[in-house]
Amino acid sequence: MLKKIVLVEDNEDNRLLVNAILEGLYEIIEYETGIEAIEKLASSKADLVLLDISLPGKDGIEVVKWIRTQPLLKLLPVIALTAHAMEGTRKMLIGHGFTDYLMKPIIDENNLLDTLKKFLN
C-alpha cells in the first residue's frame, strides 16, 4: 500500500510537476486551497502534507497552525513549498510548525524525493 501525500497547491503546473515526480511512488491527494485542506485533511488519512505557503483563502502558515492544534494531525509531517527563500526562511517556517521546507520551482526531483523519504520511510 502506497503512503498518502496531501498536496495543497493552487498552481496547476506545480501540481502536475509533483504528480509526475511522485506517480507510482505515493498516493497523491490534491487540494487547491487552504480552506479545502482544512475541511478535508482530517478524513484524508495522510502520511505527509506538501503545503504551499501562498494560497487563496487561508495561507499555508494558517493551515499548518490549524494542523498543529488538531489531536489526530498534530504530529503529521508538513513540508512547506515556497518560492520565497531568503535567509531565515527555514527557521521562520519551522517556528510556525512546518517540519521542513522545499523551494519552488522543484528543479531537482531528488531533493523532493530525499526530503519525503526522511519522513515517510
Side-chain angles (χ1 to χ4, degrees):
M1 183 188 262
L2 297 177
K3 299 268 186 177
K4 284 186 188 177
I5 295 176
V6 166
L7 172 61
V8 187
E9 170 64 67
D10 62 323
N11 182 290
E12 184 178 4
D13 290 337
N14 289 334
R15 289 195 312 272
L16 289 170
L17 177 61
V18 170
N19 271 292
I21 295 169
L22 302 181
E23 187 175 12
L25 300 172
Y26 300 101
E27 180 182 340
I28 308 297
I29 301 167
E30 296 180 21
Y31 304 135
E32 290 185 41
T33 69
I35 293 167
E36 185 181 13
I38 286 172
E39 290 172 351
K40 298 179 180 177
L41 193 56
S43 64
S44 71
K45 300 198 184 326
D47 296 297
L48 183 141
V49 177
L50 289 171
L51 179 57
D52 185 18
I53 298 300
S54 300
L55 293 166
K58 292 197 177 288
D59 67 22
I61 291 172
E62 292 173 292
V63 174
V64 78
K65 285 181 176 181
W66 175 84
I67 289 170
R68 297 300 177 227
T69 68
Q70 303 303 301
L72 297 176
L73 300 175
K74 67 181 179 184
L75 299 177
L76 185 65
V78 181
I79 311 299
L81 294 174
T82 182
H84 307 287
M86 298 174 4
E87 189 174 333
T89 299
R90 177 185 175 83
K91 184 177 180 180
M92 182 267 299
L93 291 172
I94 290 175
H96 283 301
F98 286 93
T99 311
D100 205 342
Y101 92 109
L102 290 166
M103 286 292 303
K104 290 190 310 185
I106 296 170
I107 297 167
D108 180 1
E109 67 183 57
N110 288 321
N111 189 30
L112 171 61
L113 294 169
D114 291 345
T115 299
L116 295 177
K117 286 177 188 173
K118 278 195 300 190
F119 301 106
L120 291 175
N121 297 333

